[in-house]
Structure formats: C-alpha cells, structure tokens
Amino acid sequence: MKNMNILKSEDGLFEIALKINGENKKFKVKNNEFLLDALRRYGYKGAKKGCDSGDCGSCAIMFNGKPVLSCMMPAVTAHGGEIVTIEGIGTIEKPHAIQEAYVEAGAVQCGFCTPGMIIVTKHLLEKKPSPSDEDIKKELDGNLCRCTGYVSQIKAVRIAAKKMKKKGKK
Amino acid sequence: MFPDLIVKPLGLKELNKILPSLPKDRKFLSGGTDLVVRANADIENSQCWIDISGLKELRYIKENAKTVLIGSGVKVSDFEDSSIIKKHLPALLSALPQFASPSLRNMATLGGNCANASPSADLACALVSEKADIVLYLKGKKRKMPLKDFFLGLRKTALKKDELIWGFEIPKINHKGVYMKLASRSSFAISKIGLAISADINKEKVEYLSIALASVAPKIITAPKTRAFLKNKKINSEILDEAALIIQKEVSPITDIRSDGEYRRAMSGVLLKKGLKQILVKF
Ligand SMILES: Cc1cc2nc3c(=O)[nH]c(=O)nc-3n(C[C@H](O)[C@H](O)[C@H](O)COP(=O)(O)OP(=O)(O)OC[C@H]3O[C@@H](n4cnc5c(N)ncnc54)[C@H](O)[C@@H]3O)c2cc1C
Ligand code: FES
Ligand code: FES
C-alpha cells in the first residue's frame, strides 16, 4: 500500500495497522469484514457476537479510548486506531479489579455479555471513580444480559469502584 | 455490500485532492451507524466510501457572542460533556440520553443523523427546535440554510453530490428545552414519535417558543400554527387543551411497524402538554 491513508483493495484484502492492547499489529482484512470478525479471526475471542446489529453490547471494545461496538465497524475503518479488548484488561492469572468484582458479585453466569460489560464499566470508572447507581444504570444501558437480571452487575460495578480506589489502580 | 474501495483522508486538503480520482458512485462514511447497517442489509450499494472520521476540521464545539458552533463530525457522546451545550442547548441536551446506547453514542455523529434524513432522527429534531442553521461545504465554498429547510422529504436533503455537512450554527436564545420521545423501550429504540420544545415562559406567559416533531411526517417538521396560537398566551389547562387539538391537525403520521397513525396523532397533543408543563416547572 503506497499511501497509508488510502486503503486500497489488493486481491480483495486490505492491510490495516492497529495498536491492540499496547502491541502494534497488522491485520489483513476483507473489505466487507467487520472489526469484530477480524479480531476474533486473529485470536482476540473475548469480544462476542450477540446480535450483530448494534443492540446488545457484547462486542464492545475500547477504540481510541472509548467503548464502541465492533460488530458495527467495518474493519478497514479501524486503520490507525488504538484498541483495547478484554484480553488487554486482565488475564486469568492476573485479573483486573473489575473482573474480580464481577466474579465476587456473581455477575457472571454464562459469561457471554461479560467482556462487553467490563469494557463499559472500565470506561465509567475512568470518568467517575465513585458512580451512583443511576450512573451505573445509564452506562450499562446498551449491554444486554440474558442470564443475571442486572442487579448483580450493578453490585459488581460498586465493588469494582471500591477495589480500584483501594488499589489506586486504573 | 461494502464497497471495494474505502478511503480515509486525514484532512480536508487530502479529501479535496483525492475526490476527483474516486469512482463517481461514492458516499461519505462518518460513524457508520446508519450507512453500515444499510450496506449490510444490501439497501446501500455505492462503489466507494470516503471515511471522514479523520477530518479533524469537522470536530469542534465552540461559541462566540451570539452563536454556538458545532462540527458535523462531533460524536454524540462529546456533547454530554460539553459545558456549552449544557448552557445553551437544553432541548438537544435532553435528547442525548434518549439516543441509542452509550457505546453507540461514541460512534454516531450529528452530521450523520441529519444527512440520513430519517423522519425519526432524534438529534435532528432537537436541533430544528433549537433553530439551527446547517453549514454545507463543497469545493472550498460554504453555504448556509435553516436546518428545517435542509430536509426535503423521506431520506431526501438539500445536499448536492459530494457536498459535505460542515457543521451547525445555533443562535444563543435564552430558553429552556425538552425532548420527549415515545418508543417501545425507554431508550435504545427508534421513536414512535419525538417532540422537541424550546421555550421561554415568563410568569406563565409564552414569550418564545419553537416546536419540532419527529416520526409524524415524512420528515422532521415544525408546528407553526401551534406556535402562533401559544405565543404570548398565558399557559393554563384550557389553553393547553386547545393547543393539543391544533398540533394534532398539524401532524400527518402514518401507521407503520413501530406505531399506529392515530396513536401518534393523539400523542403529539399529549407530549406537547407534558413538555410545556415540564418547562414551566423548570422556571
Ligand atoms: C442500534 C442503533 C440504535 C439507534 N438509535 C437511534 C436513536 O435512538 N435515535 C436516532 O436518531 N438514531 C438512532 N440510530 C441511527 C444512527 O445511529 C444515527 O442516525 C446516527 O446519528 C448516524 O450518524 P453516523 O455518523 O453513524 O452516520 P453514518 O452512518 O456514517 O452516515 C449516515 C448517512 O449520512 C451521510 N453523512 C454522514 N456524515 C456526513 C457529512 N458530514 N456530510 C454529508 N453526509 C454525511 C452518509 O453518507 C450516510 O448516507 C440508531 C442506530 C443503531 C444501529
Ligand atoms: S454483537 Fe455488537 S451490539 Fe450485539
Ligand atoms: S451472564 Fe449470560 S448473558 Fe450475561
């Protein structure tokens, strides 16, 4: 590709450069591929495809610092962007305080909605370290869960806020 | 289908430079929350998309003595944190939490909401009640018109080929405002009807009023007869009832998958009364 700003189709594929969870990556993507599918193809399977139409929030990732729905983004439009997926937030060995809080609150049942919930929770707590229940409900508004009934997620965010304040951790 | 060619100019200069070399059948792509859905459903089939999310020139919220200036590329979520919007555009502010979901608000833009020209566009409706002008840009030249006149019909606008929505200019008028939306859920659903009111009511007397409605006609409409009736009147329950009857004659709703035409007509009156009462409480 000669001009990095112009994404040309070569043999039907586009090469895009991304920063994912702090690492520089290059993806080859189809012109009609969504970012969610590309991420999952390259091994970032945390983001889930719940509805594929922008309605459920299970595909949420951070894009340039804010949660977006990766099922709605053509992969090529992510070119040059910075992405954080759930894999970049914490691992099984070293979970993030928010992940611990979701487990403690029993907010994870099948777990399908959880990566998206954690992404938006992280964004909320970055903006508001001590959110009210109203703030929590507003922020989780676009994230659907078919298992838990939402009370446990609200509890999880409250616990996470406390944990993060204690640890002084982002 | 998505097009084979998607280009992302990183500035206006670059856009103007590459434009002539692109396939004729081309469209701008901003947040993509309308265009991509349409392409995925095979309703939209252009040959080339120009991703304008890299045009920093279109991302501003500014003010001068008399006007608020908003760029078309501003993300909906950027408004939520803006002190300028909080201070001067209460109807728009009131529409924000009723628009889609937080993550979608990080993607969608005001320019896209207007260019799409859906009769149900919540932000476009609120902006019409705020008396916004829209600024359009083509080949180095800008032109301006009232946003209300920009909408020509269902998905039809005054945009010429390759013309870009540059931004919006909204007069600073001392007023309160609300956006009322009825949908099958409290948020995250397309409106059955939306009604925006910007008003200055002093000791119950209506000194300034502007009304806009969504999803009750092929495009966003205003309610000039209702407005003329209410202007300089003192608000009481008889006046409100009379105004509700007038607005019901001004709308021309249809029955579709989201709602029933007669319901929409009745609700235009109900929302008008409710909205005006809410504004009274705010004074
Ligand atoms: C799940 C979901 C929920 C939604 N909820 C709501 C809702 O509650 N209320 C509501 O009003 N809408 C809603 N929408 C519709 C949509 O999100 C909005 O209309 C949004 O504002 C579109 O902005 P965009 O930047 O994503 O536009 P895009 O999809 O990028 O563009 C839409 C159209 O505008 C054109 N365009 C975009 N920017 C410009 C510009 N600067 N100059 C010229 N043309 C331009 C494009 O060519 C395209 O034709 C929803 C959509 C989804 C998927
Ligand atoms: S999969 Fe993206 S919102 Fe449901
Ligand atoms: S835990 Fe199963 S969908 Fe939320």
Side-chain angles (χ1 to χ4, degrees):
Chain A
M1 207 174 349
K2 280 181 215 103
N3 184 341
M4 286 304 283
N5 302 330
I6 299 187
L7 303 163
K8 265 215 172 96
S9 167
E10 290 161 9
D11 53 320
L13 293 178
F14 294 77
E15 192 177 62
I16 56 170
L18 302 164
K19 196 171 205 176
I20 306 186
N21 303 332
E23 287 175 350
N24 289 317
K25 294 272 173 173
K26 286 208 166 124
F27 280 12
K28 279 203 151 192
V29 298
K30 283 174 238 141
N31 75 306
N32 58 353
E33 189 168 16
F34 282 97
L35 181 59
L36 174 62
D37 298 312
L39 283 168
R40 292 182 59 84
R41 200 156 54 72
Y42 276 91
Y44 299 91
K45 293 199 171 163
K48 301 283 187 282
K49 189 185 278 187
C51 68
D52 210 10
S53 60
D55 291 301
C56 78
S58 68
C59 66
I61 56 158
M62 292 273 193
F63 186 74
N64 294 339
K66 284 187 175 174
V68 300
L69 304 173
S70 60
C71 76
M72 305 265 315
M73 272 178 84
V76 288
T77 64
H79 178 58
E82 218 176 306
I83 289 172
V84 179
T85 66
I86 188 70
E87 288 89 349
I89 290 189
T91 58
I92 295 183
E93 297 76 33
K94 249 187 114 195
H96 189 279
I98 301 175
Q99 291 169 311
E100 290 172 356
Y102 268 72
V103 174
E104 272 174 43
V108 184
Q109 287 189 23
C110 82
F112 209 80
C113 68
T114 317
M117 293 268 183
I118 288 176
I119 295 283
V120 298
T121 303
K122 185 155 188 290
H123 182 61
L124 170 67
L125 295 178
E126 277 166 8
K127 284 188 297 187
K128 290 188 181 156
S130 316
S132 67
D133 282 4
E134 201 46 43
D135 294 333
I136 299 173
K137 284 183 197 167
K138 271 189 198 152
E139 195 71 24
L140 298 188
D141 191 20
N143 292 71
L144 305 186
C145 175
R146 60 183 181 173
C147 305
T148 63
Y150 304 104
V151 176
S152 54
Q153 269 99 352
I154 296 169
K155 202 165 125 198
V157 181
R158 276 192 232 127
I159 298 174
K162 272 195 206 125
K163 277 184 189 272
M164 284 169 70
K165 251 187 261 155
K166 229 191 223 160
K167 291 191 186 164
K169 158 170 157 187
K170 260 197 142 183
Chain B
M1 264 295 281
F2 292 3
D4 286 334
L5 186 65
I6 301 180
V7 297
K8 185 171 180 174
L10 292 182
L12 198 63
K13 257 197 196 146
E14 203 172 271
L15 171 69
N16 286 329
K17 207 170 93 193
I18 58 171
L19 213 48
S21 67
L22 299 174
K24 291 237 151 34
D25 181 15
R26 55 201 180 215
K27 274 228 167 82
F28 293 121
L29 171 76
S30 189
T33 61
D34 272 318
L35 195 66
V36 169
V37 173
R38 292 173 67 78
N40 215 20
D42 280 337
I43 310 168
E44 140 68 35
N45 292 298
S46 38
Q47 282 174 3
C48 168
W49 284 352
I50 308 162
D51 181 353
I52 52 172
S53 64
L55 298 184
K56 294 204 178 62
E57 293 92 337
L58 305 180
R59 287 189 81 159
Y60 58 86
I61 304 177
K62 298 185 292 196
E63 63 180 325
N64 59 34
K66 288 190 177 152
T67 318
V68 174
L69 306 136
I70 304 174
S72 65
V74 177
K75 300 285 182 189
V76 178
S77 59
D78 292 337
F79 295 123
E80 293 164 13
D81 309 321
S82 159
S83 56
I84 299 178
I85 304 294
K86 276 193 190 118
K87 186 156 178 223
H88 298 290
L89 306 178
L92 180 64
L93 188 71
S94 156
L96 299 177
Q98 302 179 63
F99 180 94
S101 68
S103 303
L104 219 96
R105 296 201 282 273
N106 289 331
M107 308 173 77
T109 65
L110 199 51
N113 200 239
C114 291
N116 200 43
S118 157
S120 64
D122 293 315
L123 306 180
C125 179
L127 268 189
V128 166
S129 97
E130 300 279 14
K131 291 252 193 284
D133 282 338
I134 189 165
V135 181
L136 309 175
Y137 173 93
L138 181 65
K139 291 186 193 149
K141 285 203 186 97
K142 287 187 190 160
R143 63 185 179 122
K144 195 162 87 173
M145 67 176 73
L147 179 58
K148 154 171 97 58
D149 302 336
F150 170 76
F151 300 113
L152 303 180
L154 183 64
R155 306 189 62 81
K156 286 206 180 73
T157 69
L159 276 175
K160 293 183 187 147
K161 182 171 169 50
D162 290 338
E163 198 167 31
L164 194 63
I165 299 180
W166 184 274
F168 303 87
E169 296 185 6
I170 305 125
K172 287 184 182 171
I173 301 167
N174 186 25
H175 69 285
K176 298 278 185 284
V178 283
Y179 184 70
M180 328 264 303
K181 171 172 171 176
L182 287 182
S184 36
R185 291 180 299 261
S186 63
S187 66
F188 215 2
I190 298 171
S191 66
K192 295 171 194 283
I193 170 173
L195 187 144
I197 305 177
S198 298
D200 187 8
I201 304 176
N202 198 356
K203 293 199 181 99
E204 274 138 46
K205 190 170 151 221
V206 181
E207 295 191 337
Y208 169 77
L209 180 65
S210 169
I211 303 168
L213 294 116
S215 298
V216 291
K219 57 176 187 168
I220 304 287
I221 57 163
T222 56
K225 286 181 190 146
T226 312
R227 182 184 157 277
F229 170 77
L230 283 166
K231 186 86 201 289
N232 293 323
K233 291 239 165 56
K234 275 208 162 196
I235 297 279
N236 58 39
S237 55
E238 288 85 55
I239 293 289
L240 283 179
D241 286 343
E242 224 173 307
L245 289 177
I246 298 172
I247 204 164
Q248 288 181 34
K249 292 203 187 98
E250 283 199 275
V251 299
S252 48
I254 54 162
T255 297
D256 63 12
I257 48 165
R258 271 176 284 128
S259 189
D260 176 87
E262 278 319 296
Y263 174 77
R264 285 179 157 129
R265 188 184 300 282
M267 286 308 111
S268 65
V270 172
L271 290 187
L272 177 72
K273 289 201 270 187
K274 216 168 148 186
L276 284 169
K277 278 183 201 158
Q278 275 191 19
I279 287 182
L280 271 174
V281 174
K282 291 187 184 192
F283 277 88

